[in-house]
């Protein structure tokens, strides 16, 4: 199939959901063309752990339910609210899957390519093939056989992308909290692998763990040897 040449993001749509200005309800997406998957990632800017993506396919009937639940970009929700919404989204979804790229892959191919790889893996795991993938950001995912559409700030403009953002965030946070038990010195339970002051201070004191991204500058620590 031939991909659309013009990004939805270039159509001049409002950049915040507001009163039901989600793309799925705006008329710019033809839902009748088939199932739509929203794809988003989390952990791109973290210093620790994998980058994680989710792909989510929602039925039309889920749209008003999620709007009534006041779904938002995962970064704008409390942890408890994200968990509640993730459970609701998973129950409503036709299909959803997680994909991730490892720390070794991030350090080998760079974080952008690792992010796109995580997105690709999430989509390819779907048991139900969508007619269109809505990809958060401005980079198409190489190697997907179905049409794609990039959407800048997609987690603020698409219900399916926002849903993917929430599922990916909850999944990754849960993983990092479990890993925090093994590496308590980095305060991972609170910072979720991002570069908080306590995390940066711990890196200076203890150096990196095997799950830190050593291609990231804050992780390029040379500890002084005490005599």
């Amino acid at each position: 199939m031939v991909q659309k040449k013009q990004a939805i993001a270039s159509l001049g749509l409002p950049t915040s959901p507001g009163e039901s200005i989600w793309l799925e309800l705006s008329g710019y997406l033809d839902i009748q063309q088939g199932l739509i998957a929203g794809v988003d990632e989390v952990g791109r800017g973290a210093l620790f752990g994998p980058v994680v993506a989710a792909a989510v396919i929602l039925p039309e009937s889920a749209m008003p339910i999620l709007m009534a639940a006041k779904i938002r970009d995962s970064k704008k929700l409390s942890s408890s609210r994200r968990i509640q919404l993730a459970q609701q989204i998973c129950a409503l979804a036709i299909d959803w899957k997680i994909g991730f790229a490892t720390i070794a892959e991030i350090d080998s191919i760079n974080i952008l390519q690792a992010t796109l790889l995580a997105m690709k893996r999430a989509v390819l795991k779907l048991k139900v093939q969508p007619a269109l993938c809505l990809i958060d950001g401005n980079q198409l995912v190489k190697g997907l056989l179905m049409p794609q559409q990039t959407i800048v700030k997609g987690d603020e403009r698409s219900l399916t992308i926002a849903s993917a953002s929430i599922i990916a965030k909850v999944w990754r946070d849960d993983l990092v909290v479990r890993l925090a038990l093994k590496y308590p010195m980095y305060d991972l339970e609170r910072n979720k692998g991002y570069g908080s002051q306590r995390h940066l201070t711990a890196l200076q004191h203890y150096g990196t763990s095997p799950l830190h991204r050593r291609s990231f500058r804050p992780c390029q620590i040379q500890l002084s040897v005490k005599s």
Side-chain angles (χ1 to χ4, degrees), residues 8-109:
I8 292 172
S10 70
L11 294 175
L13 295 173
T15 57
S16 62
E19 296 182 2
S20 73
I21 312 177
W22 295 102
L23 289 175
E24 289 86 349
L25 307 174
S26 67
Y28 285 102
L29 291 177
D30 181 9
I31 302 298
Q32 300 304 315
Q33 68 182 305
L35 297 173
I36 292 175
V39 187
D40 200 4
E41 56 75 28
V42 294
R44 183 168 173 174
L47 306 179
F48 175 98
V51 61
V52 174
V56 181
I57 301 175
L58 296 172
E60 265 190 275
S61 59
M63 304 300 174
I65 298 172
L66 293 176
M67 284 186 63
K70 300 188 183 301
I71 188 172
R72 289 289 183 272
D73 163 20
S74 67
K75 296 183 290 294
K76 298 178 180 179
L77 298 166
S78 67
S79 176
S80 60
R81 186 61 183 142
R82 275 196 302 268
I83 293 170
Q84 292 172 349
L85 281 171
Q87 293 171 344
Q88 188 173 19
I89 292 163
C90 292
L92 291 169
I94 294 171
D95 196 5
W96 67 272
K97 291 293 184 290
I98 291 289
F100 65 87
T102 66
I103 294 87
E105 289 170 328
I106 292 169
D107 287 343
S108 174
I109 62 177

Side-chain angles (χ1 to χ4, degrees), residues 5-217:
K5 294 182 179 180
Q6 186 176 26
I8 292 172
S10 70
L11 294 175
L13 295 173
T15 57
S16 62
E19 296 182 2
S20 73
I21 312 177
W22 295 102
L23 289 175
E24 289 86 349
L25 307 174
S26 67
Y28 285 102
L29 291 177
D30 181 9
I31 302 298
Q32 300 304 315
Q33 68 182 305
L35 297 173
I36 292 175
V39 187
D40 200 4
E41 56 75 28
V42 294
R44 183 168 173 174
L47 306 179
F48 175 98
V51 61
V52 174
V56 181
I57 301 175
L58 296 172
E60 265 190 275
S61 59
M63 304 300 174
I65 298 172
L66 293 176
M67 284 186 63
K70 300 188 183 301
I71 188 172
R72 289 289 183 272
D73 163 20
S74 67
K75 296 183 290 294
K76 298 178 180 179
L77 298 166
S78 67
S79 176
S80 60
R81 186 61 183 142
R82 275 196 302 268
I83 293 170
Q84 292 172 349
L85 281 171
Q87 293 171 344
Q88 188 173 19
I89 292 163
C90 292
L92 291 169
I94 294 171
D95 196 5
W96 67 272
K97 291 293 184 290
I98 291 289
F100 65 87
T102 66
I103 294 87
E105 289 170 328
I106 292 169
D107 287 343
S108 174
I109 62 177
N110 77 46
I111 186 58
L112 172 60
Q113 296 306 317
T115 297
L116 296 174
L117 178 60
M119 288 180 164
K120 179 180 178 180
R121 286 170 173 166
V123 173
L124 292 180
K125 285 181 180 178
L126 290 169
K127 294 181 180 178
V128 178
Q129 181 165 317
L132 174 67
C133 287
L134 300 181
I135 310 293
D136 183 53
N138 61 5
Q139 298 283 331
L140 292 173
V141 178
K142 296 178 182 178
L144 291 183
L145 299 179
M146 69 284 291
Q148 306 172 53
Q149 185 63 65
T150 58
I151 312 234
V152 175
K153 295 185 178 180
D155 47 11
E156 298 179 5
R157 306 173 69 184
S158 161
L159 276 163
T160 49
I161 292 179
S163 297
S165 170
I166 290 168
I167 289 178
K169 175 68 173 167
V170 169
W171 193 94
R172 187 181 186 279
D173 282 358
D174 180 68
L175 172 65
V176 174
V177 167
R178 285 185 280 120
L179 293 172
L181 298 174
K182 187 174 181 180
Y183 304 105
M185 67 285 286
Y186 301 109
D187 197 34
L188 297 170
E189 187 172 357
R190 290 185 179 86
N191 61 51
K192 304 303 187 291
Y194 288 85
S196 69
Q197 188 55 56
R198 289 186 67 178
H199 192 175
L200 296 174
T201 300
L203 283 170
Q204 293 289 340
H205 186 73
Y206 298 104
T208 57
S209 75
L211 296 181
H212 275 93
R213 304 174 183 178
R214 299 191 182 189
S215 58
F216 282 36
R217 187 175 297 277

